[in-house]
Amino acid sequence: MRNVVILGSGCAGNTAALYSARANLQPLVVSGHEPGGQLSLTTLVENFPGFPDGINGPDLVENIKQQAQHFGAEYMHGTVTGVDFSRRPFRLDADGTWLEARAVIIATGASARWLGLPSEQKLIGHGVSSCATCDGFFYRGKKIMVVGGGDSAMEEAIFLTRFGSEVTVIHRRDEFRASRIMLDRARANPKIKWLTSTVVEEILDGGTGVVTGVRLRHLKDGRSWEQAVDGFFLAIGHRPNTAAFKGQIDLDPDGYILTKGGARTSVEGVFHAGDVQDRVYRQAITAAGAGCMAAIEAERFLEAEAH
Ligand code: NAP
């Protein structure tokens, strides 16, 4: 029986682990299917306070983990696929191992969204990617395409110009969701080309099993055409990792955890931290702050239970 089980090992989960370990709660962290969370897929993080020269995302998240371990947090590999929050102790199925916990912190984050085209799914890892940092290297001197109009699309497009001969951003509208500074930076990059009001109808492989092009459609004039491309990167946002909690805690229609204030979910003793609840800020620093809040609330909850 654990005092606190933390689900997820990104910025939120690791910070929750650090705070609950320092409160002497000996937390157990179940790392999840993407250990380190989204930061483990990034390069330089320039906006985490305290690092004037920036810090690599994977280093930042690993540092927080080590800091948590230093105070007694334990980590286990695995993913929680089912839970029973209907009675206490709470029960969690971590890849077939049932864990029991007095309090739970859900910090399972959010995962990349896909277009949902069969050709896209078929070609993941063969020219289709959701992670520029992971796969950009493979497209040295090649033609690259990035889908999306948010900050991620701008960031990925800029990053990918280090590798590709050209990078085309495809966006379904004329207006961009990206912040002014990111958009201006991308627009100032001569390697980036733009196709707006354009959608991807199909990703093509010409029977080779690797991406060779895309079929695009302009939404205003209905024109459809094919364009040669080698690397196709998705940057169209994320989906919260909450499938395991459906029916157990309140979620919004998109699957994000509905907060009951602070770090509280609809179940007393179950807390949220980070992108799994936050569809607004979604930053490393806000996730870390949310992890701290969840740990403090879990500690107070356990303290109140004990008396
Ligand atoms: P986002 O802001 O939700 O943007 C997603 C983009 O993908 C939107 O432009 C959206 O188009 C498009 N899109 C969604 N579904 C699509 C579909 N099925 N087909 C085609 N296009 C689709 O997501 P994000 O860019 O990942 O950013 C998430 C959060 O992280 C934001 O708050 C962002 O500011 C932050 N962020 C910050 C930085 C930074 O500051 N360095 C870097 C990355 C992310 P519409 O606009 O038409 O809806």
Side-chain angles (χ1 to χ4, degrees):
M1 162 83 84
R2 293 281 175 164
N3 290 316
V4 187
V5 172
I6 297 165
L7 313 184
S9 57
C11 241
N14 284 353
T15 306
L18 169 62
Y19 270 77
S20 42
R22 291 197 80 256
N24 223 8
L25 294 173
Q26 288 127 352
L28 174 69
V29 181
V30 185
S31 297
H33 71 277
E34 202 174 278
Q38 291 184 65
L39 273 187
S40 65
L41 307 176
T42 61
T43 46
L44 197 63
V45 177
E46 292 178 311
N47 53 10
F48 200 93
F51 300 93
D53 300 322
I55 179 167
N56 275 316
D59 293 340
L60 175 58
V61 79
E62 178 62 24
N63 286 351
I64 308 173
K65 175 181 173 180
Q66 284 179 18
Q67 202 174 345
Q69 285 174 318
H70 177 72
F71 291 106
E74 280 177 52
Y75 282 72
M76 70 172 268
H77 288 293
T79 306
V80 166
T81 51
V83 295
D84 182 1
F85 291 160
S86 64
R87 69 189 94 109
R88 294 206 226 128
F90 302 122
R91 298 186 75 230
L92 306 104
D93 178 359
D95 297 324
T97 303
W98 281 94
L99 306 171
E100 289 189 329
R102 295 188 174 94
V104 172
I105 295 173
I106 302 174
T108 47
S111 297
R113 211 183 273 147
W114 302 91
L115 293 174
L117 302 169
S119 52
E120 166 199 57
Q121 294 303 304
K122 191 182 85 180
L123 292 166
I124 291 173
H126 303 280
V128 173
S129 170
S130 69
C131 177
T133 316
C134 321
D135 300 327
F137 189 80
F138 300 122
Y139 300 97
R140 226 169 249 284
K142 303 264 170 96
K143 288 195 170 88
I144 297 175
M145 205 163 260
V146 177
V147 190
D151 281 334
S152 296
M154 300 308 119
E155 193 173 61
E156 301 221 336
I158 293 165
F159 176 74
L160 288 165
T161 59
R162 294 189 203 175
F163 306 101
S165 57
E166 62 174 49
V167 176
T168 305
V169 173
I170 306 263
H171 181 38
R172 62 185 178 185
R173 294 189 295 142
D174 286 333
E175 300 293 312
F176 286 88
R177 196 179 288 272
S179 57
R180 191 79 238 171
I181 184 169
M182 295 294 284
L183 187 57
D184 286 349
R185 216 181 274 177
R187 280 190 168 138
N189 191 314
K191 267 189 164 180
I192 299 181
K193 297 185 160 59
W194 303 85
L195 282 172
T196 54
S197 293
T198 303
V199 291
V200 181
E201 284 193 324
E202 202 65 69
I203 302 170
L204 311 168
D205 69 354
T208 63
V210 295
V211 173
T212 55
V214 285
R215 194 168 66 245
L216 305 171
R217 184 163 51 86
H218 196 268
L219 290 175
K220 290 188 175 159
D221 61 18
R223 189 168 42 97
S224 171
W225 74 102
E226 287 184 10
Q227 194 160 318
V229 65
D230 306 294
F232 185 85
F233 288 82
L234 278 300
I236 60 170
H238 293 82
R239 180 176 292 127
N241 294 317
T242 51
F245 317 117
K246 217 171 166 190
Q248 296 280 333
I249 54 170
D250 291 351
L251 306 174
D252 76 8
D254 293 329
Y256 285 90
I257 294 177
L258 274 176
T259 186
K260 298 289 166 183
R264 292 188 298 280
T265 70
S266 56
V267 175
E268 224 186 324
V270 178
F271 303 93
H272 60 72
D275 288 12
V276 71
Q277 177 272 324
D278 172 20
R279 51 159 78 236
V280 178
Y281 304 106
R282 304 192 274 204
Q283 300 299 299
I285 187 65
T286 50
C292 161
M293 289 164 64
I296 289 175
E297 294 211 22
E299 189 221 331
R300 288 183 183 162
F301 167 78
L302 292 170
E303 185 65 26
E305 290 277 289
H307 292 100

